[in-house]
Amino acid sequence: EPEVTQTPSHQVTQMGQEVILRCVPISNHLYFYWYRQILGQKVEFLVSFYNNEISEKSEIFDDQFSVERPDGSNFTLKIRSTKLEDSAMYFCASVQTGKGQPQHFGDGTRLSIL
Amino acid sequence: AQRVTQPEKLLSVFKGAPVELKCNYSYSGSPELFWYVQYSRQRLQLLLRHISRESIKGFTADLNKGETSFHLKKPFAQEEDSAMYYCALSRGGSNYKLTFGKGTLLTVNP
């Protein structure tokens, strides 16, 4: 069964550095998402992406964050200047169409900011 | 605004006992409801969605619009059911983002 894959599984970065988290969604999926989960808290929506543009973003997704689909397969989340509070598990998800279809999640990237 | 509430952070039952994980939601439209499960060190996996009305691994969930609930039930819990369970809501609009509850950690004891 096809899966969403995320790399790296764990990223350790100094505060203020840029970080790029990578995701390869399932190949025939059209909608892509990033979520994050701070330790001990719930999974929170960050951004959704469709047809090569952001379709919705949360209040968390400020100017420090950006997403890109640089080619036909990768979907990336960039944090320009990381803060301590960006430490979290970041999940990528994708879905084939929209209404009623379940989102498929990757294993996540654990981001640790020092 | 959409909100999902899972009132129990932890739930512990014995093998063979019935289990019910509660989920209540707040949304003014017609939502899509899902249950996701996360086994130890694994990814979030879809367990159930309300529109398919199916039973997966013995679990069922019925959408009750009057009580705005989508409780997850299983008549006889198994040890392998031990996991984190998340209820999630999608408003079914053009972007389909999921709003998650805080999750319930289910432990099934032998």
Side-chain angles (χ1 to χ4, degrees):
Chain A
E1 189 179 328
E3 291 182 339
V4 175
T5 56
Q6 289 185 243
T7 54
S9 56
H10 191 191
Q11 174 80 44
V12 182
T13 302
Q14 292 287 333
M15 186 172 61
Q17 296 295 307
E18 176 183 283
V19 67
I20 297 176
L21 309 183
R22 302 182 192 280
C23 169
V24 179
I26 295 172
S27 62
N28 63 344
H29 285 191
L30 300 176
Y31 295 80
F32 314 113
Y33 309 83
W34 283 101
Y35 294 85
R36 80 169 184 191
Q37 185 176 30
I38 294 171
L39 188 64
Q41 299 186 24
K42 64 179 175 180
V43 178
E44 300 174 289
F45 168 77
L46 290 177
V47 65
S48 58
F49 193 86
Y50 170 70
N51 201 25
N52 282 318
E53 60 183 23
I54 291 173
S55 49
E56 186 176 1
K57 58 184 181 180
S58 71
E59 291 174 355
I60 303 165
F61 194 88
D62 62 22
D63 292 343
Q64 293 299 313
F65 290 89
S66 62
V67 289
E68 199 176 37
R69 190 156 160 81
D71 52 42
S73 59
N74 290 285
F75 178 51
T76 61
L77 173 70
K78 183 195 288 187
I79 309 175
R80 236 176 301 278
S81 178
T82 49
K83 307 186 198 72
L84 292 175
E85 53 264 36
D86 293 328
S87 295
M89 195 75 166
Y90 288 80
F91 293 104
C92 174
S94 68
V95 67
Q96 186 176 29
T97 57
K99 191 171 177 62
Q101 294 298 314
Q103 293 179 20
H104 296 256
F105 284 79
D107 282 333
T109 293
R110 180 166 299 285
L111 178 63
S112 300
I113 308 300
L114 304 179
Chain B
Q2 52 201 69
R3 190 169 66 224
V4 175
T5 303
Q6 292 180 251
E8 303 136 331
K9 196 171 178 178
L10 302 168
L11 184 61
S12 182
V13 301
F14 286 102
K15 178 182 170 182
V19 64
E20 181 179 48
L21 290 86
K22 292 186 167 51
C23 172
N24 289 91
Y25 66 90
S26 172
Y27 179 61
S28 55
S30 294
E32 311 263 350
L33 273 298
F34 304 85
W35 276 99
Y36 279 83
V37 60
Q38 189 174 33
Y39 300 103
S40 180
R41 298 179 192 164
Q42 295 187 26
R43 65 182 64 200
L44 283 162
Q45 302 173 36
L46 176 72
L47 183 62
L48 285 176
R49 46 183 166 154
H50 88 271
I51 61 165
S52 56
R53 299 186 64 81
E54 56 199 342
S55 173
I56 303 291
K57 299 183 180 182
F59 284 97
T60 58
D62 289 317
L63 180 61
N64 185 322
K65 291 186 179 180
E67 295 182 359
T68 60
S69 67
F70 188 56
H71 302 326
L72 184 68
K73 299 177 184 178
K74 185 169 182 176
F76 307 104
Q78 303 299 315
E79 289 178 69
E80 55 266 29
D81 296 328
S82 296
M84 194 73 175
Y85 291 81
Y86 294 96
C87 183
L89 175 154
S90 167
R91 65 176 187 257
S94 59
N95 53 17
Y96 316 100
K97 73 172 185 183
L98 289 172
T99 297
F100 285 87
K102 290 186 177 181
T104 298
L105 180 62
L106 174 66
T107 302
V108 182
N109 301 297

